[in-house]
Structures are given as C-alpha cells and as structure tokens.
Amino acid sequence: MTAQLFPPARTTTVRAAAKINLHLGVGAARADGFHPLHTVYQAIGLYDDLTVEDAPTWGLTLDAADYIEATHVPLDGANIVDRAADLLAAHHGLPRLGAVSIAKEIPVAGGLAGGSADAAAALVALDRLWGAETSDEDLLALAARLGSDVPFALLGGTALGTGRGERVSPVADRGTWWWVAVPSVEGLSTPAVYRHFDALFPDAPATPAPADAVLGALAAGDPMLLAAALHNDLEPAALDLRPDLETLIARGEAAGALRGMVTGSGPTCVFLCASADHARDVAAALDDPVVLVANGPVAGAHLVEYV
Ligand code: C5P
C-alpha cells in the first residue's frame, strides 16, 4: 500500500427537513416578547443538505434550487449556520473551522423553518467533523438557543411543541400524509406576523389553544379527520398581510385538496391530500410558479454521507 502524502479531506453531509405546523395555538405574548405555543410540528420531505469539510478557516457557501432567491440567504457571517457553529465551538472550547456548503431546497422566509433546518444540520455535521461527541441533551439545548423551531428540526417526525415551540416531544402518528406546498416569491417576516397577531388579537388568552383534535386525527391516521382539525392561529394575521393567499387556498381546495392552510407564519400554503396520486393531481391543477409535493412525517437532521 502506498502511503498518502495528504490525508483525504473529511466530508460530512447532513440532511434536514422542512416543517409544517398541523396545529399552531398561539397565546398572548410573554414578558420576553415570545408567544406561548401549543403546536404540532410535522417534518416533510423537502430538504436542505449541509456539507462540511476540514478547512484552515471558516467559510459558508450556498447552492440554491432555481425557485429560491439566493440573495435572501445571508453569506456575510450573519447566517444562522454561523451562529450554530459559534455556539457549538464555544460549548467545547474549539476553534470554529470548516468549509460549509448548503444545498437548499426549502424556500426562504416561507414559514417552513428552512433556516432552523440549516442550524440543526450544522450542529449535527460540525459535531461529527470536530469529533465533539455532544450529548443529545446538549444539542437540544444549543438548538433552543438558536431558535424556537431548531430543536424540532433535530427531532423530526411529528411532535408536540410547547414553551415558545422549543420544548418538543414525539406524538403518535399512524399516517403517511401527503402535502402540496406552494411557496410565495415574496417571503413574510415571522416577527411581523406575530406583531400583527398582537394587533388583531389584543385579548388573546395566556394559554394557547390545545392540539387535541389534531393529535386525535394523527393517532387515528384519518385524512378527513386531520383535514377538519388543522388549525393555525397565525393564519388571520398572515392573510391580512397577504390577502392573495386567501385566493390561493380557495384555488387549492377547488382543485380537490382536503384542506388548505397557511403554514406557520406563512406565506407558504400547504394542502392536505388523500394519497400521493391525489397530491400530484392537486399540484398539476395549480399553475403557480412553484408547486411542491412532499410527504410526512420524515426524519430529523441526519447524516447521509460521511467520508
Ligand atoms: O425563535 P425564533 O428566532 O425562530 O423566532 C423568530 C421571531 O418570531 C421572534 O423574534 C419573535 O418575534 C417571533 N416568535 C414569537 N413567539 C414564538 C416564536 C417566535 O413571538 N413562540
């Protein structure tokens, strides 16, 4: 065997999924400005892949799907991936070194937690690259500091989120659910949607609406039950800011979807369908610039390649 002069660069790729909210109960803002949530997250098959490689410095690059406006993703040091790397490096007293590239399929500022997916993928990938062996408990705690949705991006599947969304626990889900997702060219700012919720609902209860109906439908695996139970307290605020979405939801339902709704803070709208074929039919009937089909639940941030 010939000796290698240079060891091959170690490369790790981690895949993280988009999330949708099947139930999003929002309470009145807390003293810290965040809103208490009862939410049911589901990870769906729409992914960002994050690849990390040994490097003498720190760098971040992006390769985005053609329907994504790449200029909306900061690459100047202000990306949530930079912050994830900073937190993990500081946690272990390590230097922040690595060449990171994001292959992005999850629409930006769409209510699908694409940034949170990237942050979760960065924690898992860099932990591996740096040999840091962070415990699951510590990874979840670091994730919660990065954003309310990041712990769920680690966990995946279908889960109940409480607190500001960062406390997650898996729930029984007997279905394979088929979704059509229609992102908008123009994103919506999550803080702006929450502020508009505050303006529209000054008397919002302190305790958010419970998720019982959605949890029952998931446990039963029944699409008609789930269609009737889907709930999003942020939807009125998102629709008020973006009245065009109301027409989109009506078009999707007219095309045969069991139910359409804004997901999270929007503006992406998701349409529940009864099967893969049904989802393809609904997608074909919608002539919007970007129409995606995905099923859920799928796994949280996970290693797909390691060299
Ligand atoms: O936690 P994350 O960074 O994703 O939150 C982004 C913004 O969304 C917050 O700054 C806040 O304005 C709003 N938010 C909220 N209540 C939550 C989650 C997010 O008001 N439970």
Side-chain angles (χ1 to χ4, degrees):
M1 216 168 85
T2 44
Q4 283 182 305
L5 283 180
F6 302 103
R10 291 177 314 137
T11 301
T12 298
T13 298
V14 170
R15 174 164 292 180
K19 66 84 183 149
I20 59 176
N21 300 83
L22 311 184
H23 174 92
L24 183 49
V26 181
R30 314 187 305 202
D32 65 0
F34 283 91
H35 294 72
L37 303 183
H38 278 160
T39 189
V40 178
Y41 295 110
Q42 184 166 91
I44 63 167
L46 181 62
Y47 301 102
D48 283 0
D49 281 356
L50 194 131
T51 298
V52 298
E53 208 174 278
D54 286 320
T57 56
W58 174 253
L60 179 63
T61 57
L62 175 75
D63 179 14
D66 54 5
Y67 54 83
I68 290 174
E69 185 50 76
T71 55
H72 291 167
V73 179
L75 294 173
D76 57 354
N79 196 289
I80 192 168
V81 168
D82 299 301
R83 288 205 290 124
D86 280 338
L87 267 189
L88 186 69
H91 183 73
H92 294 287
L94 293 167
R96 188 188 72 170
L97 298 175
V100 182
S101 59
I102 306 171
K104 183 166 272 302
E105 275 187 6
I106 306 174
V108 178
L112 294 167
S116 300
D118 297 347
L123 289 176
V124 174
L126 292 170
D127 178 66
R128 181 87 188 224
L129 186 76
W130 296 340
E133 298 188 6
T134 318
S135 67
D136 286 354
E137 197 186 345
D138 284 358
L139 272 186
L140 283 167
L142 294 173
R145 289 172 60 189
L146 289 164
S148 307
D149 295 335
V150 183
F152 175 71
L154 284 175
L155 185 66
T158 308
L160 184 67
T162 55
R164 60 182 167 84
E166 88 285 15
R167 283 195 262 140
V168 286
S169 50
V171 300
D173 184 350
R174 294 185 56 201
T176 294
W177 310 95
W178 284 92
W179 302 96
V180 172
V182 183
S184 288
V185 178
E186 265 316 299
L188 263 178
S189 140
T190 301
V193 175
Y194 274 104
R195 277 198 302 276
H196 202 55
F197 169 87
D198 293 337
L200 288 179
F201 305 106
D203 300 323
T207 307
D212 302 11
V214 160
L215 294 176
L218 291 169
D222 181 333
M224 295 309 289
L225 274 184
L226 185 62
L230 293 172
H231 176 89
N232 182 1
D233 278 337
L234 290 182
E235 188 171 63
L239 293 180
D240 212 39
L241 294 170
R242 286 285 304 276
D244 57 305
L245 299 180
E246 213 151 348
T247 328
L248 168 59
I249 292 170
R251 283 193 291 113
E253 290 182 347
L258 303 180
R259 175 85 187 274
M261 74 185 310
V262 172
T263 192
S265 56
T268 303
C269 290
V270 292
F271 298 91
L272 178 61
C273 298
S275 64
D277 282 345
H278 183 214
R280 285 184 206 110
D281 289 346
V282 169
L286 288 165
D287 59 355
D288 298 71
V290 185
V291 180
L292 306 164
V293 174
N295 70 309
V298 299
H302 60 284
L303 203 68
V304 288
E305 202 180 354
Y306 181 64
V307 181

